[in-house]
Amino acid sequence: MKRFAIAIATAASLFAVNASAQQASGNLQGGGPAGDEIAVTSTSTGFHREITVEDAGKYSIRRLPTGTYIVEVTHADGSKDKPKQIVIQVGTTARIK
């Protein structure tokens, strides 16, 4: 019985560590010409991620930590759009038009 209690306590503590390690995040979706490069940078932490628009003209960046981001688009010809600011909230998908 004592072993069973220790096993339950150990499992519970592992679950608690795993749950606290999860980070609040959201997603970003948008569209544009295939081959465009999309870069997102957190204004508070500097976290940075880049992605290329797929052939269907869509992109999705998942599990971005919550916060405010600057989104920069670089077209295949090297020209850039004006940077946009977007807020990522817990469990939501922000959309860029």
Side-chain angles (χ1 to χ4, degrees):
M1 186 66 160
K2 188 175 181 181
R3 285 185 186 176
F4 180 72
I6 291 172
I8 295 296
T10 301
S13 67
L14 290 174
F15 176 75
V17 169
N18 188 29
S20 67
Q22 293 179 0
Q23 185 175 17
S25 65
N27 306 308
L28 174 67
Q29 287 184 345
D36 282 4
E37 296 288 328
I38 311 299
V40 295
T41 305
S42 169
T43 59
S44 61
T45 66
F47 178 86
H48 181 83
R49 195 175 293 169
E50 295 182 17
I51 194 166
T52 302
V53 178
E54 58 190 42
D55 290 339
K58 297 179 183 179
Y59 64 88
S60 179
I61 302 174
R62 298 181 179 270
R63 292 182 294 229
L64 286 171
T66 57
T68 302
Y69 287 81
I70 300 298
V71 180
E72 298 175 290
V73 178
T74 303
H75 299 287
D77 65 3
S79 64
K80 295 184 178 191
D81 287 351
K82 180 179 176 183
K84 296 178 181 177
Q85 184 171 307
I86 189 101
V87 176
I88 301 296
Q89 297 178 341
V90 175
T92 64
T93 299
R95 289 179 172 77
I96 299 279
K97 296 181 181 184

